[in-house]
Amino acid sequence: QVSLVESGGGLVQPGGSLRLSCSASVSVFRLLPMGWYRQTLGKQREVVATITGDGSKNYADSVKGRFTISRDNAKNTMYLQMNSLKPEDTAVYYCNAAPGPFPSWGRGTQVTVSS
């Protein structure tokens, strides 16, 4: 049984920052490649950033240079630092394994970028 809980979203002005957290209750978290996904209404969920168990990172072109993914394996927690936010970053953000997400998803955390 995997439980994923996202937090840290909110309303922020363009150019602002937010830090998302993902708490994962899975015994082998430290071995799993993980990722942040986002979804807006009517669109498919997309991968934003991924991180392997040993810390190798990849980013979608749309967030490179603005977002930073990290993880603390001792705490079974993953983070997404989002800077220079844009209105097009508005979405519900989810965490899951990446690639090969678990079938069950958390509730996500809403990020709204608006003036």
Side-chain angles (χ1 to χ4, degrees):
Q1 190 85 14
V2 176
S3 174
L4 301 165
V5 179
E6 302 90 352
S7 62
L11 173 63
V12 64
Q13 292 187 341
S17 298
L18 284 173
R19 189 192 193 208
L20 306 184
S21 298
C22 166
S23 177
S25 65
V26 52
S27 61
V28 293
F29 175 83
R30 63 182 176 85
L31 301 177
L32 292 174
M34 294 290 294
W36 284 98
Y37 302 73
R38 67 185 180 189
Q39 187 172 26
T40 55
L41 202 62
K43 293 188 177 181
Q44 283 195 330
R45 195 171 284 159
E46 63 173 351
V47 177
V48 174
T50 62
I51 184 168
T52 63
D54 61 1
S56 296
K57 306 170 185 180
N58 277 291
Y59 299 93
D61 287 343
S62 58
V63 306
K64 271 180 187 174
R66 300 188 298 121
F67 290 10
T68 302
I69 190 171
S70 61
R71 64 192 296 163
D72 184 338
N73 289 336
K75 296 181 179 179
N76 276 23
T77 301
M78 181 175 65
Y79 306 97
L80 185 68
Q81 178 67 43
M82 305 187 296
N83 299 328
S84 301
L85 282 161
K86 304 175 181 181
E88 50 264 43
D89 295 317
T90 295
V92 179
Y93 284 72
Y94 302 87
C95 63
N96 208 320
F102 296 115
S104 60
W105 293 77
R107 296 177 68 177
T109 186
Q110 175 71 48
V111 171
T112 302
V113 184
S114 175
S115 55

